[in-house]
């Protein structure tokens, strides 16, 4: 029979009318189908995040040569994170997850130091960085640049970038000459859904403007670092116009809105909260840099009135952030209907054997390296009381620094000036044992990659410097009970931003308000002349403005060294052979109240 188009259309129309009539008469089947059609189509996915990994792959402390532990019994390392990540992927479906990081990846442990300096990744046919190997194996999708990525210089960072299977993002890391991005500003990811089109997730990476100060010697004239809000405002609308359904910022910047470098830069160091508040179009921010734990923090955007969800997982791989997104397909596009965040604790799982096997050889090499004996000590020294007392182990750092600067200035016009030194209690658990001293013992005194400088200051400027440092203590009236555990870190000042000066004698009256605490400042038994000149042995972080201490950044530089202070200490111990506190330790500063010592 020949095909009659008119007959077919007529039959189809009649059939359609009959279906419509049946629906109108209340067919149960039709009602169910209608409800199904009206039900919104949804999709859920999860973005996992880490930050401030600082070279931690294994749950291991290379300075104590044993498994990591702290008072809260936290664990550390990417091997632990890998187990958590695989658990989340198994629960959510790997295709419904992304994994990102917010920076400070390649500095912090002796493992990361070894492959930057001892067996460097930049060498011809050099090794692959352990952090690149681990993060590639775990399957990271993107990572923001941290400020400590620049500690070893741009060549090491570029080699690390080359070794990563994922992009290192930095929308506010610009080439100093062209002002074009020196790294990819963002990455775009597609997630396949069971309905509607793929979800496009944009990850915008922002790093810390403080790099311009803290790593000035590595980046000056090469890169510049504008503010986070400025670059986010530039890129977020662009990402939305490119079709991003979800915009996540990975920011190596805390949420407090404060800066440790004062007004030396016109940008805020800890600006993640300001970005959320001021830049519309952001759904969530993975926060880094501040080394604090924020499971979920909501900031209302001023322009849209919508909440932006922030989360910061604890440092070193102790926590894994989970951002859970709910999306709805409507009017031909995906819209975010819900965002929540939480953190998982890595001490609840075992290390992933895939990661420990992968990097077992590297781990063993570094353990052997840090356990090399470099000298002996006549007695044990500890930093436990370093934040509240002048202890020999901090004097050791200062003595080595002052001795090094004194030698460097010998024969110059500055040789006759007295040399002082500054140091902080970087770790409250550092120990120099009696007997054999190893590389890990000496390195444990100085966990940062700081280098040494000599700056010219006056007595008056040194007084200001000490007054600023003394704000570290909580004001405590005479007669009040003193709890050493609650006496320090006033106004959130970290231990590394409290400096003791070596070569001067003084008291810190904690009963007085900050700014009026330094009493009896003297040099060699005589009051310090405000106009007298001194040489200060100071680390490059402080000299560049880190901590916002007064006068030092603008002081005349008399000498600078490119070697890490950690290596200077190791070399000094090797050269001396014996560490004897009787040759360098003395109690030159103490805490008092109205002239009465706080501690006997």
């Amino acid at each position: 029979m020949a095909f009659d188009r008119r007959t077919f259309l007529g039959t189809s129309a009649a059939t359609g009318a009959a279906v419509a009539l049946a629906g109108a008469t209340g067919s149960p089947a039709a009602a169910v189908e209608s409800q199904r059609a009206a039900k919104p189509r949804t999709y859920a996915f999860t973005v996992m995040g880490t930050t401030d990994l600082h070279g931690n792959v294994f749950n291991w402390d290379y300075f104590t040569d044993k498994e990591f532990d702290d008072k809260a019994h936290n664990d550390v390392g990417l091997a632990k994170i890998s187990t958590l990540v695989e658990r989340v992927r198994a629960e959510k479906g790997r295709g419904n997850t992304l994994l990102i990081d917010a920076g400070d990846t390649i500095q912090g442990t002796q493992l990361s130091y070894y492959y930057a300096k001892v067996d460097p990744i930049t060498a011809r046919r050099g090794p692959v960085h352990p952090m690149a190997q681990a993060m590639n194996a775990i399957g990271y999708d993107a990572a923001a640049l941290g400020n400590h990525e620049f500690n070893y210089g741009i060549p090491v960072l570029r080699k690390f970038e080359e070794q990563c299977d994922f992009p290192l993002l930095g929308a506010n890391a610009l080439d100093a000459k062209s002002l074009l991005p020196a790294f990819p500003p963002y990455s775009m990811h597609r997630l396949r859904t069971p309905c509607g089109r793929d979800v496009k997730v944009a990850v915008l990476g922002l790093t810390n403007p403080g790099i311009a100060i803290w790593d000035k010697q590595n980046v000056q004239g090469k890169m510049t670092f504008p503010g986070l809000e400025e670059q986010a405002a530039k890129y977020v609308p662009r990402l939305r116009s490119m079709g991003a359904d979800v915009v996540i910022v990975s920011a190596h910047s805390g949420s407090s809105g404060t800066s440790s470098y004062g007004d030396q830069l016109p940008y805020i160091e800890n600006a993640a909260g300001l970005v959320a508040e001021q830049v519309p179009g952001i759904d969530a921010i993975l926060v880094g840099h501040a080394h604090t734990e924020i499971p979920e923090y909501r900031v209302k955007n001023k322009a849209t009135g919508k909440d932006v969800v922030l989360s910061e997982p604890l440092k070193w791989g102790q926590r894994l952030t989970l951002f859970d997104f709910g999306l709805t397909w409507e009017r031909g596009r995906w819209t975010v209907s819900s965002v929540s965040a939480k953190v998982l604790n890595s001490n609840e799982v075992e290390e992933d054997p895939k990661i420990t096997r992968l990097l077992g050889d590297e781990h063993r090499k570094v353990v052997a390296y840090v356990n090399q004996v470099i000298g002996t000590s006549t007695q044990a020294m500890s930093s436990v009381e370093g934040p509240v007392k002048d202890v020999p182990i901090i004097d050791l750092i200062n003595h080595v620094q002052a001795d090094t600067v004194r030698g460097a200035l010998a024969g110059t016009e500055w040789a006759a000036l007295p040399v002082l030194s500054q140091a902080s209690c970087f770790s409250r658990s550092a120990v120099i044992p009696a007997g054999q001293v190893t590389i890990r013992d000496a390195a444990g005194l100085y966990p940062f990659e700081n280098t040494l400088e000599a700056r010219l200051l006056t007595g008056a400027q040194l007084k200001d410097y000490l007054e600023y440092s003394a704000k570290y203590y909580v004001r405590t009236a005479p007669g009040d009970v003193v709890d050493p555990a609650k006496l320090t870190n006033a106004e959130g000042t970290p231990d590394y931003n409290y400096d003791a000066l070596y070569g001067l004698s003084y008291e810190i009256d904690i009963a007085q308000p900050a700014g009026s605490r330094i009493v009896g400042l003297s040099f060699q038994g005589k009051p310090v002349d405000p106009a007298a000149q001194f040489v200060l042995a100071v680390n490059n972080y402080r000299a560049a403005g880190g901590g916002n201490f007064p006068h030092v950044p603008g002081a005349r530089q008399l000498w600078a060294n490119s070697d890490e202070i950690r290596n200077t200490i190791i070399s000094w111990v090797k050269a001396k052979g014996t560490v004897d506190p009787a040759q360098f330790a003395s109690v030159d500063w103490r805490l008092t109240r109205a002239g009465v010592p706080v501690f006997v």
Side-chain angles (χ1 to χ4, degrees), residues 297-357:
Y297 173 47
R298 292 177 177 269
V299 175
K300 195 170 294 294
N301 183 266
K302 285 185 175 180
T304 65
K306 293 181 179 179
D307 280 353
V308 181
V309 177
L310 283 67
S311 180
E312 181 176 5
L314 200 58
K315 64 185 184 299
W316 305 347
Q318 295 178 33
R319 304 288 186 273
L320 176 70
T321 279
L322 302 187
F323 290 106
D324 289 314
F325 291 85
L327 276 69
T328 303
W329 177 260
E330 52 189 11
R331 298 181 181 178
R333 62 189 293 263
W334 288 107
T335 57
V336 175
S337 53
S338 65
V339 187
S340 62
K342 62 181 180 180
V343 296
L344 303 182
N345 194 331
S346 68
N347 71 7
E348 297 175 356
V349 297
E350 299 298 319
E351 291 184 318
D352 187 342
K354 173 183 70 177
I355 303 302
T356 56
R357 283 195 302 266

Side-chain angles (χ1 to χ4, degrees), residues 168-181:
L168 300 183
L169 308 177
N172 60 328
L174 310 181
D175 179 86
K177 294 180 180 178
S178 68
L179 297 184
L180 295 174

Side-chain angles (χ1 to χ4, degrees), residues 84-98:
L84 289 175
V85 167
E86 290 308 314
R87 177 182 291 182
V88 173
R89 285 171 175 163
E91 177 188 344
K92 309 281 187 179
R94 187 182 181 100
N96 300 321
T97 65
L98 293 172

Side-chain angles (χ1 to χ4, degrees), residues 191-209:
L191 300 178
R192 184 164 294 178
T193 71
C195 54
R197 60 168 170 77
D198 293 350
V199 169
K200 292 178 70 174
V201 181
V203 179
L204 178 66
L206 296 170
T207 192
N208 206 289

Side-chain angles (χ1 to χ4, degrees), residues 264-277:
Q264 295 175 68
L265 284 176
Y267 312 117
I268 300 297
E269 175 183 351
N270 296 302
L274 297 174
V275 171
E277 181 182 76

Side-chain angles (χ1 to χ4, degrees), residues 127-357:
V128 177
H129 199 288
M131 294 301 287
Q133 290 191 60
M135 295 175 81
N136 289 342
I138 295 169
Y140 273 77
D141 294 288
L145 293 164
N147 55 284
H148 283 288
E149 259 67 85
F150 294 84
N151 285 173
Y152 298 116
I154 292 173
V156 170
L157 175 54
R158 286 301 190 191
K159 189 63 178 180
F160 175 71
E161 178 187 30
E162 178 187 315
Q163 293 176 341
C164 291
D165 294 339
F166 52 90
L168 300 183
L169 308 177
N172 60 328
L174 310 181
D175 179 86
K177 294 180 180 178
S178 68
L179 297 184
L180 295 174
F183 294 85
Y186 60 85
S187 58
M188 193 74 78
H189 309 268
R190 288 182 177 271
L191 300 178
R192 184 164 294 178
T193 71
C195 54
R197 60 168 170 77
D198 293 350
V199 169
K200 292 178 70 174
V201 181
V203 179
L204 178 66
L206 296 170
T207 192
N208 206 289
I211 295 166
I213 288 177
W214 306 321
D215 270 297
K216 182 178 179 179
Q217 74 276 20
N218 290 329
V219 301
Q220 188 173 35
K222 299 173 184 176
M223 292 186 190
T224 186
F225 303 88
L228 283 81
E229 308 101 301
E230 170 189 325
Q231 292 302 100
K234 175 181 178 179
Y235 278 101
V236 171
R238 185 179 302 180
L239 294 171
R240 289 294 184 182
S241 70
M242 293 167 60
D245 302 296
V246 180
V247 173
I248 301 166
V249 173
S250 183
H252 193 76
S253 180
S255 60
S256 65
T258 61
S259 287
S260 67
Y261 46 71
D263 58 0
Q264 295 175 68
L265 284 176
Y267 312 117
I268 300 297
E269 175 183 351
N270 296 302
L274 297 174
V275 171
E277 181 182 76
Q278 297 176 12
V279 181
I282 298 169
D283 297 298
I285 301 179
L286 177 65
V287 179
H289 183 61
H291 288 205
T292 58
E293 181 178 344
I294 305 173
E296 183 185 89
Y297 173 47
R298 292 177 177 269
V299 175
K300 195 170 294 294
N301 183 266
K302 285 185 175 180
T304 65
K306 293 181 179 179
D307 280 353
V308 181
V309 177
L310 283 67
S311 180
E312 181 176 5
L314 200 58
K315 64 185 184 299
W316 305 347
Q318 295 178 33
R319 304 288 186 273
L320 176 70
T321 279
L322 302 187
F323 290 106
D324 289 314
F325 291 85
L327 276 69
T328 303
W329 177 260
E330 52 189 11
R331 298 181 181 178
R333 62 189 293 263
W334 288 107
T335 57
V336 175
S337 53
S338 65
V339 187
S340 62
K342 62 181 180 180
V343 296
L344 303 182
N345 194 331
S346 68
N347 71 7
E348 297 175 356
V349 297
E350 299 298 319
E351 291 184 318
D352 187 342
K354 173 183 70 177
I355 303 302
T356 56
R357 283 195 302 266

